[in-house]
Amino acid sequence: MKSIKILLSVTICLLLLVHVCLASSMAALRIKKVERSWPQVKVYFDVLNSFGQPEQQLNPSSMSAKIGNSSVAIKDIIPFNESGDGVAYIFLVDISKSLTEAEFSQMRGALNLIVDTMTEHDKVAIITFGSTVQVVQTYSNEQEILKQKINQLTATDDQTQLYRGLAKAMEMGHVVDVKVPQRRAIITLTDGEDDDDNSIQQEQVFEKMRLEKVPTYAIGFYRAPLTVHKQNHLHKLSELANFSGGAYFQTGAKPINDIYQEVVKNIKAGFVATLDASNISEFDTVQRMELQVSLDGKQLSDSTDVRIPSKDKFKSTVPSSNQNTGSKQPTFGWLFWGGGIILVLAAVTIVLTRRKPETAKIPAISESEVCDTMITLLFNGQDNETCNLCIKDKIIFGRDKHLSQFVIETDEQLSGVHCQLTSEGSMVFMTDLASTNGTFVNGMPITTKVQLQDGDIINIGATEFTIYLNKS
């Protein structure tokens, strides 16, 4: 009897220890989105307490941040639902026959419910995946149009290009548009299976998520019986969702409508921190941003790669009017400000000279040439110069005039062959060619071929341009 009591006591202690360990492991800090600007940087992030529940309040003194080697001050932290910001939802809809008509109808109803509860600041984009991947609706806050598009969706396709759909949704999540909320989230309901042998692989999606993180909220479903094959696909889906900074939900225990509402609640949880980055000295290079939060005696941290654009890309602030403008030292004041203006103009001239491809060798387009894929490049500088390009096979950007078609000899930060544009039908792709300083799409470094969207911002070396896609 005594030995049984001892055994029970030991078992209870072990269970309590396991509970404490599990609770500790559930506490987490997750960076969702970084709004790259200067001198202020906005960071959207979640904090989960020891029980895996979203923390409701944080004190700025409990948080610290670094960008590269520079510590940056926390100006303020506010709950996301008090920020006045909206959410850009990306509905990633499985239109394969994996779903029955009844299940698909429930999903349509849940998506319509999210549209009905949108705030004036929210927007929704709709992407479908099946035998192909299609953007059904770009970002919009027109509720009637969105509901019409949702109600037109049907499960008709025989294949499921899940991973290609996720890649497309992530690209949509990084579209640069001041009219689209910075908080982005992908919502998808799927069985986790990708049965297209020609589609991209799960590892490529993981790599894309590492470089272009967009929180993905995946709702996994299955039709009984739950086989090992189905479990494996759902497990992979769960890994992808959690790795992205989102979350995984399983159908069965709750109605689909309730799950979707829980997803929206999860998305709108979290915080927005404003960082004072005025003291950082490196721009246009990849730097590691790290956040740390002290919670319940534990140090939580998360980090991500960021690329802060140069100061000259942001409007200068006007000095406050409470400066001493008395007449005691007028000559010194004018000399000081005049000298400062001259130095600023000189610096800007140097930067713009390096950024403008004035000596670029651009592939010529003949008037009689038939072009399947025509694009326009807008170089972001003082004069906003543009050029039109016809992509027939590929266009290589670089400094080597023998190996590159688009040559920018004056940009010393470019590699000899830096990156290339290619086209597949009406789609345009950017690929980095193992360059020294990297290729960036919307501020994110790329390591694989990335499909470009209209209005994407490309950074190579010290050159920045916006790409506009035009179908002939």
Side-chain angles (χ1 to χ4, degrees), residues 25-325:
S25 66
M26 294 176 74
L29 165 66
R30 299 184 299 189
I31 297 174
K32 300 288 190 180
K33 174 77 176 178
V34 179
E35 185 177 338
R36 302 172 302 110
S37 55
W38 187 89
Q40 295 185 357
V41 176
K42 271 188 177 182
V43 184
Y44 298 81
F45 65 99
D46 290 344
V47 176
L48 302 180
N49 60 25
S50 297
F51 302 98
Q53 298 299 315
E55 192 69 12
Q56 300 301 316
Q57 293 292 333
L58 280 181
N59 192 312
S61 62
S62 68
M63 183 174 172
S64 61
K66 289 182 69 175
I67 298 179
N69 295 320
S70 303
S71 296
V72 293
I74 311 294
K75 296 192 68 174
D76 62 50
I77 302 174
I78 57 174
F80 176 77
N81 57 15
E82 297 177 11
S83 67
D85 293 343
V87 176
Y89 297 100
I90 303 161
F91 294 166
L92 182 59
V93 183
D94 185 348
I95 60 168
S96 72
K97 294 176 183 176
S98 303
L99 289 170
T100 65
E101 178 52 39
E103 292 166 335
F104 203 89
S105 178
Q106 289 182 57
M107 181 184 66
R108 277 195 299 258
L111 295 177
N112 278 322
L113 187 58
I114 296 177
V115 172
D116 283 332
T117 57
M118 286 171 60
T119 72
E120 59 180 330
H121 304 294
D122 295 337
K123 291 198 174 184
V124 168
I126 304 171
I127 299 174
T128 60
F129 66 96
S131 300
T132 61
V133 175
Q134 299 289 334
V135 178
V136 175
Q137 176 64 54
T138 56
Y139 288 115
S140 172
N141 58 3
E142 296 290 336
Q143 291 173 299
E144 291 306 315
I145 293 176
L146 290 168
K147 292 171 74 172
Q148 181 183 5
K149 297 284 188 180
I150 291 169
N151 292 331
Q152 289 173 349
L153 299 175
T154 55
T156 56
D157 290 11
D158 294 319
Q159 286 185 308
T160 310
Q161 293 190 8
L162 170 61
Y163 296 145
R164 192 176 293 277
L166 283 167
K168 185 67 176 178
M170 282 186 282
E171 289 169 12
M172 181 71 77
H174 283 281
V175 167
V176 177
D177 188 339
V178 294
K179 296 180 181 178
V180 177
Q182 289 298 312
R183 180 83 159 183
R184 314 283 172 88
I186 299 168
I187 302 177
T188 189
L189 182 146
T190 177
D191 61 3
E193 184 169 1
D194 187 316
D195 56 13
D196 182 5
D197 295 334
N198 297 318
S199 185
I200 62 176
Q201 301 301 308
Q202 181 193 18
E203 293 74 18
Q204 293 173 277
V205 176
F206 267 112
E207 180 64 16
K208 193 174 182 68
M209 281 183 174
R210 185 181 70 81
L211 298 172
E212 305 176 3
K213 184 180 289 187
V214 180
T216 301
Y217 296 82
I219 303 170
F221 79 92
Y222 67 92
R223 194 168 294 117
L226 181 58
T227 63
V228 174
H229 177 77
K230 293 176 182 178
Q231 283 180 325
N232 288 338
H233 288 302
L234 292 173
H235 178 68
K236 290 178 181 179
L237 184 64
S238 173
E239 284 184 332
L240 284 168
N242 292 321
F243 183 75
S244 74
Y248 175 76
F249 300 82
Q250 181 68 59
T251 59
K254 296 181 180 179
I256 289 180
N257 271 357
D258 292 351
I259 295 174
Y260 271 90
Q261 290 308 300
E262 189 176 345
V263 167
V264 172
K265 182 180 178 181
N266 196 304
I267 291 172
K268 294 206 170 187
F271 300 90
V272 184
T274 303
L275 313 182
D276 181 3
S278 58
N279 64 324
I280 67 172
S281 56
E282 293 187 35
F283 298 89
D284 287 324
T285 59
V286 177
Q287 302 181 72
R288 199 69 179 166
M289 169 185 282
E290 182 179 10
L291 296 185
Q292 286 193 338
V293 169
S294 177
L295 181 68
D296 300 331
K298 294 185 285 291
Q299 289 293 326
L300 308 178
S301 66
D302 194 15
S303 59
T304 188
D305 287 336
V306 296
R307 188 174 190 268
I308 306 300
S310 299
K311 300 178 187 179
D312 62 289
K313 295 175 189 171
F314 301 100
K315 294 180 180 179
S316 59
T317 55
V318 179
S320 59
S321 58
N322 61 354
Q323 296 181 32
N324 183 2
T325 56

Side-chain angles (χ1 to χ4, degrees), residues 313-360:
K313 295 175 189 171
F314 301 100
K315 294 180 180 179
S316 59
T317 55
V318 179
S320 59
S321 58
N322 61 354
Q323 296 181 32
N324 183 2
T325 56
S327 58
K328 291 185 179 181
Q329 293 177 312
T331 304
F332 176 78
W334 279 107
L335 286 173
F336 177 81
W337 286 108
I341 290 171
I342 291 171
L343 288 173
V344 169
L345 288 174
V348 170
T349 300
I350 292 171
V351 171
L352 290 176
T353 299
R354 295 186 67 193
R355 290 188 179 280
K356 288 168 59 181
E358 293 175 348
T359 60

